Amino acid sequence: MPSFPKPKIPDAVVPPPLRKPGKPGTGGTPKGQAPSDLKDGSPERRSAGDKLLERGKEAPIDALGWVDQRLAASGFLTGMLFRKVPKGTNWFYTLGSATLFAFIVQATTGVFLAMFYTPSATQAYHSISHINNEVPLGQLVHGMHKWGSSVMVILIFLHMGRTFFFGAYKYPRELNWVIGVVLLILTMTMAFTGYLLPFDQRSFWASIVGININGTGPVVGPYLSDFLRAGPELGATTLSRFYAIHMLLVPGAIIALIGAHMYLVVKLGTTAPPWVKAERPKVASPVSELDAGANGNGRVNGNRVNGSPVSGEGNGAL
């Protein structure tokens, strides 16, 4: 029999679920009127400048993501910034952060002062005068560094006192306490070596007194005094040695120990104030009592369960 072509059913008659899907590359929508937004005007296309501006806005985020993929620092920062703190935490706990801020100020101002300072017995005093009198904002930077050292010493003593009186040096934080003691010694060393750098009359004779006091210590005292003087008497070599200790040796050790100190603080956490008592956790009832209460023949925490009588009560129990 000859085959006749099947009549094509209009798409408008066929329900949407039964319609034949469109060919690849087409929208698969039936022909009809164009959407209203295409009638009103052509679609807005972004210019090359807009695309470049958008890329520029996302560049810092992309750079941070690139660095984080290689350092995996987001986990450490998350644990450090979003860690749990004990109940009763107050302003006494900010003394450590204040000491760290004082050290950052000292390091920053010290770098700018080192750009104009000359560690020479004949030029040190004149370089300090040049900083205070001729360098723009030099007197401000020098004053911040000079008085900031006293502020840092006061803050670190307050921080150590808070740690001691709050009992934060006990287990498991003994190592962090030892690191803090070493940081205290290094801070005092930094203040002592920096005091000689102006090399005026007051700093000269005060350094002699301090070196002689160190020399009275047992066993290592005389050797430490000779090391600090860098010779039989205080002079140009002493100034160079103090400058090297003040600028290179002690700051490097302080930065390394601060890193270890902060790592242990984040890892071990902080202690609650001594006047805050820990709440006792609620203790669950023993399993045997719960089973007895479920069977209807006992008490749970001294309370009758489901009104069931206890052995020896009611029902004429013998």
Side-chain angles (χ1 to χ4, degrees):
M1 294 180 60
S3 59
F4 296 96
K6 296 179 180 180
K8 185 177 180 182
I9 302 175
D11 293 337
V13 180
V14 180
L18 300 179
R19 290 176 186 174
K20 184 179 180 181
K23 295 180 180 180
T26 62
T29 57
K31 296 181 180 180
Q33 293 183 349
S36 59
D37 56 348
L38 293 180
K39 288 182 178 180
D40 297 338
S42 59
E44 199 175 307
R45 294 184 178 181
R46 294 184 302 171
S47 62
D50 295 338
K51 294 180 180 179
L52 185 61
L53 181 61
E54 186 175 353
R55 286 186 179 182
K57 292 179 179 179
E58 296 179 356
I61 301 176
D62 295 338
L64 289 176
W66 184 87
V67 173
D68 184 59
Q69 283 183 346
R70 285 145 184 83
L71 296 180
S74 59
F76 173 77
L77 293 177
T78 302
M80 179 177 178
L81 298 177
F82 296 96
R83 66 183 187 274
K84 295 181 180 180
V85 295
K87 185 179 180 180
T89 301
N90 48 40
W91 286 100
F92 289 110
Y93 288 82
T94 62
L95 291 171
S97 301
T99 308
L100 175 61
F101 178 76
F103 173 74
I104 294 174
V105 171
Q106 289 298 101
T108 304
T109 55
V111 169
F112 285 105
L113 292 176
M115 296 178 182
F116 300 95
Y117 177 75
T118 304
S120 171
T122 57
Q123 301 180 16
Y125 180 78
H126 296 288
S127 63
I128 295 296
S129 300
H130 172 70
I131 291 172
N132 290 328
N133 299 325
E134 300 179 15
V135 176
L137 300 179
Q139 188 174 8
L140 173 63
V141 175
H142 183 223
M144 292 176 61
H145 193 78
K146 177 181 178 181
W147 295 106
S149 61
S150 301
V151 172
M152 183 177 176
V153 170
I154 294 173
L155 286 174
I156 198 170
F157 269 103
L158 292 176
H159 179 53
M160 295 284 289
R162 198 279 304 174
T163 304
F164 178 78
F165 288 112
F166 280 26
Y169 60 91
K170 300 177 182 179
Y171 175 85
R173 301 175 181 86
E174 301 94 337
L175 180 59
N176 217 16
W177 171 260
V178 173
I179 293 176
V181 172
V182 176
L183 283 172
L184 173 63
I185 297 173
L186 291 176
T187 302
M188 300 303 296
T189 304
M190 180 86 88
F192 178 66
T193 54
Y195 195 80
L196 178 65
L197 297 186
F199 214 66
D200 53 4
Q201 289 292 325
R202 181 173 57 182
S203 63
F204 180 86
W205 294 108
S207 298
I208 290 179
V209 173
I211 292 174
N212 291 335
I213 292 175
N214 290 324
T216 59
V219 184
V220 298
Y223 299 101
L224 180 60
S225 181
D226 292 338
F227 171 77
L228 292 174
R229 266 196 311 265
E233 296 180 356
L234 193 148
T237 54
T238 309
L239 179 62
S240 300
R241 180 156 297 186
F242 272 47
Y243 181 75
I245 294 173
H246 186 78
M247 284 295 298
L248 302 175
L249 182 62
V250 177
I254 288 179
I255 292 173
L257 290 176
I258 285 177
H261 193 73
M262 294 181 63
Y263 170 77
L264 290 176
V265 169
V266 174
K267 181 178 177 60
L268 302 175
T270 56
T271 58
W275 57 81
V276 176
K277 296 182 179 180
E279 298 179 359
R280 293 184 178 181
K282 296 181 179 179
V283 181
S285 301
V287 178
S288 59
E289 294 185 5
L290 293 176
D291 293 340
N295 295 331
N297 55 1
R299 290 176 180 268
V300 177
N301 291 336
N303 300 322
R304 192 186 303 274
V305 180
N306 296 329
S308 59
V310 182
S311 178
E313 295 182 12
N315 293 339
L318 299 178

mmCIF file of all heavy atoms in Angstrom, residues 112-113 115-117 123 125-142:
data_model
loop_
_atom_site.group_PDB
_atom_site.id
_atom_site.type_symbol
_atom_site.label_atom_id
_atom_site.label_comp_id
_atom_site.label_asym_id
_atom_site.label_seq_id
_atom_site.Cartn_x
_atom_site.Cartn_y
_atom_site.Cartn_z
ATOM 1 N N PHE A 112 62.587 53.909 60.887
ATOM 2 C CA PHE A 112 62.745 55.270 60.362
ATOM 3 C C PHE A 112 63.917 55.995 61.029
ATOM 4 O O PHE A 112 64.628 56.766 60.370
ATOM 5 C CB PHE A 112 61.451 56.051 60.565
ATOM 6 C CG PHE A 112 60.359 55.652 59.612
ATOM 7 C CD1 PHE A 112 59.296 54.881 60.050
ATOM 8 C CD2 PHE A 112 60.397 56.036 58.280
ATOM 9 C CE1 PHE A 112 58.285 54.508 59.173
ATOM 10 C CE2 PHE A 112 59.402 55.668 57.403
ATOM 11 C CZ PHE A 112 58.346 54.896 57.841
ATOM 12 N N LEU A 113 64.135 55.764 62.326
ATOM 13 C CA LEU A 113 65.267 56.408 62.987
ATOM 14 C C LEU A 113 66.594 55.864 62.477
ATOM 15 O O LEU A 113 67.581 56.611 62.362
ATOM 16 C CB LEU A 113 65.165 56.204 64.504
ATOM 17 C CG LEU A 113 64.023 56.930 65.217
ATOM 18 C CD1 LEU A 113 63.986 56.550 66.688
ATOM 19 C CD2 LEU A 113 64.176 58.444 65.064
ATOM 20 N N MET A 115 67.343 55.098 59.571
ATOM 21 C CA MET A 115 67.687 55.689 58.269
ATOM 22 C C MET A 115 68.550 56.938 58.410
ATOM 23 O O MET A 115 69.251 57.312 57.460
ATOM 24 C CB MET A 115 66.402 56.033 57.506
ATOM 25 C CG MET A 115 65.558 54.837 57.136
ATOM 26 S SD MET A 115 64.038 55.333 56.282
ATOM 27 C CE MET A 115 63.249 53.736 56.041
ATOM 28 N N PHE A 116 68.474 57.600 59.571
ATOM 29 C CA PHE A 116 69.218 58.847 59.759
ATOM 30 C C PHE A 116 70.263 58.750 60.867
ATOM 31 O O PHE A 116 71.037 59.697 61.055
ATOM 32 C CB PHE A 116 68.245 59.995 60.099
ATOM 33 C CG PHE A 116 67.220 60.252 59.036
ATOM 34 C CD1 PHE A 116 65.963 59.674 59.106
ATOM 35 C CD2 PHE A 116 67.503 61.084 57.957
ATOM 36 C CE1 PHE A 116 65.017 59.904 58.136
ATOM 37 C CE2 PHE A 116 66.557 61.332 56.983
ATOM 38 C CZ PHE A 116 65.308 60.739 57.060
ATOM 39 N N TYR A 117 70.288 57.638 61.597
ATOM 40 C CA TYR A 117 71.204 57.519 62.730
ATOM 41 C C TYR A 117 72.544 56.969 62.254
ATOM 42 O O TYR A 117 72.620 56.093 61.375
ATOM 43 C CB TYR A 117 70.610 56.593 63.791
ATOM 44 C CG TYR A 117 71.524 56.354 64.973
ATOM 45 C CD1 TYR A 117 71.707 57.335 65.938
ATOM 46 C CD2 TYR A 117 72.205 55.146 65.113
ATOM 47 C CE1 TYR A 117 72.539 57.129 67.017
ATOM 48 C CE2 TYR A 117 73.029 54.926 66.189
ATOM 49 C CZ TYR A 117 73.203 55.921 67.139
ATOM 50 O OH TYR A 117 74.038 55.706 68.209
ATOM 51 N N GLN A 123 79.697 60.903 65.795
ATOM 52 C CA GLN A 123 78.570 61.422 65.015
ATOM 53 C C GLN A 123 77.204 61.003 65.557
ATOM 54 O O GLN A 123 76.185 61.465 65.039
ATOM 55 C CB GLN A 123 78.691 60.946 63.557
ATOM 56 C CG GLN A 123 79.970 61.395 62.880
ATOM 57 C CD GLN A 123 80.060 60.920 61.437
ATOM 58 O OE1 GLN A 123 79.052 60.505 60.859
ATOM 59 N NE2 GLN A 123 81.246 60.969 60.864
ATOM 60 N N TYR A 125 75.637 61.607 68.468
ATOM 61 C CA TYR A 125 74.876 62.690 69.091
ATOM 62 C C TYR A 125 74.404 63.701 68.049
ATOM 63 O O TYR A 125 73.260 64.184 68.111
ATOM 64 C CB TYR A 125 75.739 63.381 70.151
ATOM 65 C CG TYR A 125 75.031 64.507 70.855
ATOM 66 C CD1 TYR A 125 74.100 64.246 71.862
ATOM 67 C CD2 TYR A 125 75.292 65.836 70.513
ATOM 68 C CE1 TYR A 125 73.448 65.291 72.516
ATOM 69 C CE2 TYR A 125 74.652 66.874 71.156
ATOM 70 C CZ TYR A 125 73.725 66.590 72.151
ATOM 71 O OH TYR A 125 73.081 67.624 72.784
ATOM 72 N N HIS A 126 75.239 64.011 67.072
ATOM 73 C CA HIS A 126 74.859 64.968 66.032
ATOM 74 C C HIS A 126 73.757 64.408 65.136
ATOM 75 O O HIS A 126 72.902 65.164 64.652
ATOM 76 C CB HIS A 126 76.080 65.350 65.199
ATOM 77 C CG HIS A 126 77.140 66.064 65.995
ATOM 78 N ND1 HIS A 126 76.993 67.362 66.442
ATOM 79 C CD2 HIS A 126 78.367 65.642 66.431
ATOM 80 C CE1 HIS A 126 78.073 67.724 67.115
ATOM 81 N NE2 HIS A 126 78.923 66.690 67.124
ATOM 82 N N SER A 127 73.775 63.103 64.900
ATOM 83 C CA SER A 127 72.706 62.509 64.083
ATOM 84 C C SER A 127 71.364 62.572 64.816
ATOM 85 O O SER A 127 70.324 62.821 64.197
ATOM 86 C CB SER A 127 73.064 61.072 63.731
ATOM 87 O OG SER A 127 73.157 60.271 64.908
ATOM 88 N N ILE A 128 71.380 62.398 66.143
ATOM 89 C CA ILE A 128 70.139 62.532 66.904
ATOM 90 C C ILE A 128 69.651 63.979 66.878
ATOM 91 O O ILE A 128 68.444 64.252 66.747
ATOM 92 C CB ILE A 128 70.339 62.048 68.351
ATOM 93 C CG1 ILE A 128 70.632 60.544 68.384
ATOM 94 C CG2 ILE A 128 69.118 62.353 69.197
ATOM 95 C CD1 ILE A 128 69.511 59.677 67.893
ATOM 96 N N SER A 129 70.559 64.917 66.992
ATOM 97 C CA SER A 129 70.174 66.335 66.904
ATOM 98 C C SER A 129 69.624 66.660 65.520
ATOM 99 O O SER A 129 68.655 67.431 65.388
ATOM 100 C CB SER A 129 71.387 67.225 67.206
ATOM 101 O OG SER A 129 71.880 66.977 68.508
ATOM 102 N N HIS A 130 70.222 66.066 64.489
ATOM 103 C CA HIS A 130 69.731 66.287 63.132
ATOM 104 C C HIS A 130 68.307 65.733 62.980
ATOM 105 O O HIS A 130 67.449 66.356 62.333
ATOM 106 C CB HIS A 130 70.680 65.604 62.147
ATOM 107 C CG HIS A 130 70.177 65.599 60.736
ATOM 108 N ND1 HIS A 130 70.100 66.747 59.970
ATOM 109 C CD2 HIS A 130 69.715 64.570 59.945
ATOM 110 C CE1 HIS A 130 69.615 66.438 58.770
ATOM 111 N NE2 HIS A 130 69.378 65.131 58.733
ATOM 112 N N ILE A 131 68.041 64.570 63.572
ATOM 113 C CA ILE A 131 66.692 63.985 63.495
ATOM 114 C C ILE A 131 65.676 64.879 64.192
ATOM 115 O O ILE A 131 64.569 65.122 63.676
ATOM 116 C CB ILE A 131 66.698 62.572 64.121
ATOM 117 C CG1 ILE A 131 67.507 61.605 63.252
ATOM 118 C CG2 ILE A 131 65.276 62.055 64.299
ATOM 119 C CD1 ILE A 131 67.717 60.246 63.879
ATOM 120 N N ASN A 132 66.017 65.390 65.361
ATOM 121 C CA ASN A 132 65.068 66.187 66.140
ATOM 122 C C ASN A 132 64.855 67.585 65.577
ATOM 123 O O ASN A 132 63.766 68.153 65.736
ATOM 124 C CB ASN A 132 65.541 66.299 67.593
ATOM 125 C CG ASN A 132 65.421 64.980 68.334
ATOM 126 O OD1 ASN A 132 64.535 64.177 68.070
ATOM 127 N ND2 ASN A 132 66.339 64.753 69.265
ATOM 128 N N ASN A 133 65.858 68.173 64.934
ATOM 129 C CA ASN A 133 65.794 69.576 64.540
ATOM 130 C C ASN A 133 65.571 69.804 63.054
ATOM 131 O O ASN A 133 65.008 70.850 62.673
ATOM 132 C CB ASN A 133 67.080 70.294 64.959
ATOM 133 C CG ASN A 133 67.289 70.249 66.470
ATOM 134 O OD1 ASN A 133 66.323 70.299 67.246
ATOM 135 N ND2 ASN A 133 68.554 70.148 66.889
ATOM 136 N N GLU A 134 65.969 68.869 62.203
ATOM 137 C CA GLU A 134 65.946 69.135 60.767
ATOM 138 C C GLU A 134 65.085 68.149 59.973
ATOM 139 O O GLU A 134 64.520 68.532 58.944
ATOM 140 C CB GLU A 134 67.380 69.119 60.210
ATOM 141 C CG GLU A 134 68.285 70.174 60.847
ATOM 142 C CD GLU A 134 69.702 70.118 60.304
ATOM 143 O OE1 GLU A 134 69.901 69.475 59.253
ATOM 144 O OE2 GLU A 134 70.602 70.705 60.931
ATOM 145 N N VAL A 135 64.990 66.918 60.397
ATOM 146 C CA VAL A 135 64.201 65.932 59.658
ATOM 147 C C VAL A 135 62.716 66.203 59.884
ATOM 148 O O VAL A 135 62.292 66.398 61.029
ATOM 149 C CB VAL A 135 64.572 64.500 60.105
ATOM 150 C CG1 VAL A 135 63.688 63.469 59.401
ATOM 151 C CG2 VAL A 135 66.044 64.229 59.822
ATOM 152 N N PRO A 136 61.891 66.233 58.816
ATOM 153 C CA PRO A 136 60.443 66.434 59.003
ATOM 154 C C PRO A 136 59.835 65.327 59.859
ATOM 155 O O PRO A 136 60.053 64.136 59.623
ATOM 156 C CB PRO A 136 59.891 66.409 57.570
ATOM 157 C CG PRO A 136 61.055 66.768 56.705
ATOM 158 C CD PRO A 136 62.272 66.215 57.394
ATOM 159 N N LEU A 137 59.100 65.738 60.896
ATOM 160 C CA LEU A 137 58.462 64.820 61.853
ATOM 161 C C LEU A 137 59.476 63.950 62.593
ATOM 162 O O LEU A 137 59.105 62.966 63.225
ATOM 163 C CB LEU A 137 57.439 63.919 61.152
ATOM 164 C CG LEU A 137 56.274 64.631 60.456
ATOM 165 C CD1 LEU A 137 55.372 63.605 59.785
ATOM 166 C CD2 LEU A 137 55.485 65.479 61.432
ATOM 167 N N GLY A 138 60.736 64.319 62.536
ATOM 168 C CA GLY A 138 61.757 63.526 63.211
ATOM 169 C C GLY A 138 61.614 63.563 64.720
ATOM 170 O O GLY A 138 61.792 62.543 65.397
ATOM 171 N N GLN A 139 61.304 64.729 65.264
ATOM 172 C CA GLN A 139 61.148 64.828 66.708
ATOM 173 C C GLN A 139 59.953 63.996 67.185
ATOM 174 O O GLN A 139 60.004 63.371 68.255
ATOM 175 C CB GLN A 139 60.960 66.292 67.107
ATOM 176 C CG GLN A 139 60.990 66.528 68.605
ATOM 177 C CD GLN A 139 60.954 68.003 68.950
ATOM 178 O OE1 GLN A 139 60.765 68.847 68.070
ATOM 179 N NE2 GLN A 139 61.140 68.338 70.217
ATOM 180 N N LEU A 140 58.878 63.954 66.383
ATOM 181 C CA LEU A 140 57.716 63.148 66.744
ATOM 182 C C LEU A 140 58.066 61.652 66.747
ATOM 183 O O LEU A 140 57.735 60.924 67.697
ATOM 184 C CB LEU A 140 56.571 63.412 65.762
ATOM 185 C CG LEU A 140 55.331 62.521 65.913
ATOM 186 C CD1 LEU A 140 54.671 62.743 67.265
ATOM 187 C CD2 LEU A 140 54.348 62.786 64.772
ATOM 188 N N VAL A 141 58.743 61.194 65.699
ATOM 189 C CA VAL A 141 59.106 59.781 65.608
ATOM 190 C C VAL A 141 60.078 59.407 66.727
ATOM 191 O O VAL A 141 59.945 58.346 67.361
ATOM 192 C CB VAL A 141 59.699 59.472 64.223
ATOM 193 C CG1 VAL A 141 60.187 58.016 64.157
ATOM 194 C CG2 VAL A 141 58.671 59.718 63.129
ATOM 195 N N HIS A 142 61.049 60.281 66.988
ATOM 196 C CA HIS A 142 62.005 60.002 68.063
ATOM 197 C C HIS A 142 61.310 59.979 69.422
ATOM 198 O O HIS A 142 61.614 59.139 70.291
ATOM 199 C CB HIS A 142 63.119 61.053 68.058
ATOM 200 C CG HIS A 142 64.168 60.798 69.081
ATOM 201 N ND1 HIS A 142 64.703 61.809 69.864
ATOM 202 C CD2 HIS A 142 64.793 59.652 69.476
ATOM 203 C CE1 HIS A 142 65.599 61.297 70.698
ATOM 204 N NE2 HIS A 142 65.673 59.990 70.480
#
